[in-house]
Amino acid sequence: MIRSVFIVIFVLLIAILMLCGIASWRSEKTIGRSVGLFCFSLIPPVLGNMIIVGATTENMASVGCYIYYIGMNLVMYTLINFTNKYCIRQNDTDKKAGIVPDWIKYILVIDAVQVFMNIVFKHAFVLQEIEAYGKPYFIMEALPGQIVHRVVCYGAMAMIMIVFIIRSIQASRLHRERYIVILISMMIGTFWQTYYIFSRTPIDRSMIGFAVLGFLIFYFSIHYRPLRLLDSMLADIVNDTTVAVFLYEPEGKCIWINESAKKLTGIKGNDLEGASMALRDLIGETANILEMNETETEIIRQINEDELSFMIARNSFFDGSGKKTGIICEGQRYNGRETTHRGRDVRFQS
């Protein structure tokens, strides 16, 4: 039963990886084909494990082992290609700086050949029959050729992770997430694989971790946009601008103001109601401004002996269904008796 469950899981993983690979290959992004090849390369080791799990004869299990081990060489090869494109910086004077060297790929090819030659020389691995989950199961006994294979693959993965660590440190806060998440998924898959090797459990569950790595690389390379961080950065920009910004709900309740708005209204702290009242004292009823039809209007107010003018421009925002979700207005405050500007921009958004 357990073996059947894993076979179903592996079939689903292969189908999803195939879809991710096709979508990446068709993507207009320059990195799309590198992502697609990596997703496709994950299919052989997953398929090999599925064959091993379902094998009832030694020959069938051997076929699964060759597909699995050589497939891991292919995974490392395509992961290097992906890393070299994903982690390159546009302003690098040396485009090879901090990137996995190409000679590692040649070693991976040679290693794949030596693993395949196990058919003749029997130097990499042999299979031993055991009983697992009530049925015969063929487990691999590592020989020197398999040890070399592991050193090559682990070495390639270590170099790749070093590149991602360097990029995670060098990247700005806006882009750091896309490196760190992939790095963590690589580490989880590698540690999971190491546990499988030393525990000698019958079924290699680490392939699930590597498949998840493929999904994450597909998402972060093709579809990911750091919206949360962008929102945070834009909020910081709006908060630091010299323009006074007032954020209103559609019902007209003030829910946020920036530092310039506090200075304009003379409000300290987060007294939003007080800021809204102070704004009404300056320009009149804000509801009239939020509901006005004109894209630009001038408001003239007599404050003591000063005549203050506010030239306000407004625009409306709509959601995907065409429903109004916000209004933003901006304007300049200046003294009507002076020819030089001495006020602030004022923006209203609801």
Side-chain angles (χ1 to χ4, degrees):
M1 179 64 181
I2 293 180
R3 294 169 72 166
S4 298
V5 169
F6 274 99
I7 289 174
V8 172
I9 291 174
F10 289 148
V11 169
L12 292 175
L13 292 177
I14 290 172
I16 296 173
L17 287 170
M18 181 66 72
L19 292 175
C20 291
I22 294 173
S24 300
W25 193 267
R26 292 178 176 178
S27 171
E28 295 180 356
K29 293 190 174 183
T30 55
I31 202 172
R33 295 204 169 188
S34 295
V35 176
L37 288 174
F38 177 69
C39 291
F40 291 141
S41 72
L42 285 165
I43 293 176
V46 175
L47 176 62
N49 269 277
M50 185 181 72
I51 294 173
I52 294 171
V53 171
T56 56
T57 64
E58 183 176 347
N59 288 337
M60 184 181 297
S62 295
V63 171
C65 286
Y66 285 111
I67 296 175
Y68 173 25
Y69 301 138
I70 296 176
M72 286 305 298
N73 287 84
L74 181 60
V75 168
M76 292 298 107
Y77 190 100
T78 56
L79 186 56
I80 289 174
N81 285 337
F82 165 77
T83 302
N84 287 343
K85 292 187 177 181
Y86 190 77
C87 295
I88 193 71
R89 297 179 301 183
Q90 295 300 320
N91 59 348
D92 279 339
T93 55
D94 180 5
K95 293 298 183 181
K96 297 294 183 180
I99 303 302
V100 182
D102 284 340
W103 56 263
I104 296 293
K105 294 191 287 187
Y106 299 122
I107 294 178
L108 287 167
V109 172
I110 295 172
D111 179 64
V113 173
Q114 73 91 10
V115 171
F116 183 76
M117 293 305 294
N118 183 70
I119 297 175
V120 178
F121 300 108
K122 306 297 181 184
H123 66 288
F125 65 89
V126 293
L127 296 179
Q128 294 180 348
E129 183 177 343
I130 63 172
E131 184 175 319
Y133 309 112
K135 292 183 179 181
Y137 187 87
F138 297 90
I139 193 168
M140 185 270 297
E141 184 71 25
L143 298 177
Q146 181 67 12
I147 303 300
V148 171
H149 170 71
R150 290 173 180 172
V151 170
V152 170
C153 289
Y154 272 89
M157 179 62 83
M159 288 191 172
I160 292 168
M161 287 194 290
I162 289 172
V163 171
F164 272 86
I165 290 172
I166 293 173
R167 286 295 182 258
S168 299
I169 295 172
Q170 294 176 338
S172 64
R173 184 165 61 97
L174 178 64
H175 299 291
R176 188 172 299 145
E177 184 179 18
R178 72 191 191 108
Y179 295 111
I180 291 178
V181 173
I182 292 178
L183 173 63
I184 292 174
S185 63
M186 287 181 189
M187 295 174 66
I188 291 174
T190 302
F191 292 146
W192 202 347
Q193 174 73 16
T194 304
Y195 171 78
Y196 162 74
I197 291 173
F198 286 99
S199 66
R200 294 180 63 80
T201 53
I203 299 176
D204 186 358
R205 297 165 174 83
S206 68
M207 282 298 99
I208 299 175
F210 280 102
V212 171
L213 171 62
F215 307 151
L216 290 173
I217 285 179
F218 166 74
Y219 171 72
F220 278 94
S221 302
I222 306 300
H223 295 290
Y224 174 72
R225 292 182 62 197
L227 296 179
R228 178 175 57 84
L229 293 176
L230 284 172
D231 288 344
S232 177
M233 291 181 66
L234 290 174
D236 291 341
I237 292 172
V238 173
N239 194 54
D240 294 338
T241 184
T242 57
V243 175
V245 179
F246 296 77
L247 180 64
Y248 284 85
E249 290 181 337
E251 294 80 12
K253 180 181 178 181
C254 182
I255 59 174
W256 185 83
I257 59 175
N258 69 348
E259 292 299 321
S260 295
K262 294 178 183 179
K263 293 178 182 179
L264 176 70
T265 57
I267 297 299
K268 295 182 179 179
N270 292 315
D271 185 7
L272 301 178
E273 184 176 352
S276 184
M277 294 176 62
L279 182 63
R280 283 197 294 268
D281 292 338
L282 286 174
I283 64 173
E285 185 57 51
T286 55
N288 296 333
I289 300 171
L290 297 175
E291 295 173 2
M292 66 184 184
N293 295 322
E294 297 83 0
T295 56
E296 292 187 4
T297 188
E298 182 180 16
I299 297 177
I300 301 175
R301 298 279 292 171
Q302 189 74 32
I303 307 294
N304 297 326
E305 297 181 357
D306 291 333
E307 184 180 83
L308 300 181
S309 297
F310 298 85
M311 183 59 70
I312 299 174
R314 68 180 291 279
N315 289 291
S316 298
F317 294 92
F318 302 88
D319 60 17
S321 62
K323 183 178 179 181
K324 183 186 292 186
T325 57
I327 304 170
I328 185 168
C329 307
E330 74 172 331
Q332 290 181 326
R333 188 191 81 177
Y334 57 92
N335 191 320
R337 295 181 180 178
E338 297 179 359
T339 57
T340 58
H341 170 266
R342 72 178 190 91
R344 296 182 185 274
D345 290 348
V346 184
R347 291 184 181 175
F348 307 90
Q349 182 176 344
S350 67

